[in-house]
Amino acid sequence: MSEIKILHIQSTDDTPEVSFNIESGEFLIKGKSLPENAYNFYCPILDFIKTNRLTKGIRNIFTVQLDYFNSSSGRFLFELFTILENSEYSKEALTVKWVVESDDELMMEKGEELQSMLNLNFEIESI
C-alpha cells in the first residue's frame, strides 16, 4: 500500500490554507496570501510538489481560491504553475481551477493573466 502524502497548512490572517493530497489528486490554496516572507511560506509548498510525484491515472486538480494575494505571493504562484506546466503529466491529467467571487474583478483579471501566460488546462470559475 502506498504512503499517503499530504501537506496541510492552516490559514492565518495573512496566509492561505494549503491542503495538498498526492494520492487523491486534490490540491487547494484558499484564503488570503499576504505573508510577511513569501519565500518562507511558499518554499515548502514548492518543495512538496517538486519532491512528490503526482498520482498517474487520476485527474489532479489544483484549486486556487484566493480573496487577495500580494505581488510576492503572485511570483510564487506563478512558479508553482510553471513547475506543473513543465512536469511530465499530460495536460488532460492536470487542471488548475482558479475560483473567484463573481463580483471580484481584480482576482478575475489575475486569473486571466495567469491563464494567458501558461500552457496548462486552466479554468476560471466564478461563484
Side-chain angles (χ1 to χ4, degrees):
M1 185 168 196
S2 65
E3 175 185 340
I4 297 174
K5 296 182 180 176
I6 295 173
L7 172 67
H8 185 78
I9 301 170
Q10 193 66 34
S11 66
T12 68
D13 289 341
D14 297 326
T15 59
E17 172 186 5
V18 176
S19 181
F20 285 7
N21 185 320
I22 293 290
E23 190 170 88
S24 71
E26 295 175 0
F27 304 86
L28 173 69
I29 300 174
K30 181 178 182 177
K32 200 173 5 174
S33 187
L34 306 162
E36 191 166 308
N37 186 326
Y39 177 84
N40 286 346
F41 181 78
Y42 279 99
C43 274
I45 297 166
L46 298 177
D47 288 343
F48 181 83
I49 290 298
K50 289 176 187 174
T51 59
N52 291 286
R53 297 173 61 86
L54 300 180
T55 303
K56 288 193 176 193
I58 65 168
R59 191 138 185 75
N60 292 277
I61 299 177
F62 284 78
T63 302
V64 180
Q65 187 173 352
L66 292 172
D67 302 325
Y68 182 80
F69 64 91
N70 60 15
S71 58
S72 55
S73 294
R75 284 191 290 277
F76 282 99
L77 287 170
F78 184 74
E79 185 172 343
L80 170 64
F81 297 145
T82 301
I83 291 167
L84 296 174
E85 180 180 51
N86 293 327
S87 73
E88 65 195 52
Y89 302 96
S90 71
K91 303 301 178 237
E92 295 77 35
L94 181 66
T95 300
V96 174
K97 287 181 77 173
W98 187 264
V99 181
V100 298
E101 296 286 330
S102 59
D103 62 348
D104 191 340
E105 292 179 26
L106 177 63
M107 291 307 292
M108 182 71 75
E109 288 173 13
K110 296 289 186 186
E112 290 168 351
E113 182 179 336
L114 285 166
Q115 185 180 40
S116 72
M117 295 187 300
L118 297 163
N119 184 23
L120 283 171
N121 186 7
F122 195 106
E123 301 171 358
I124 299 175
E125 180 180 324
S126 179
I127 55 171

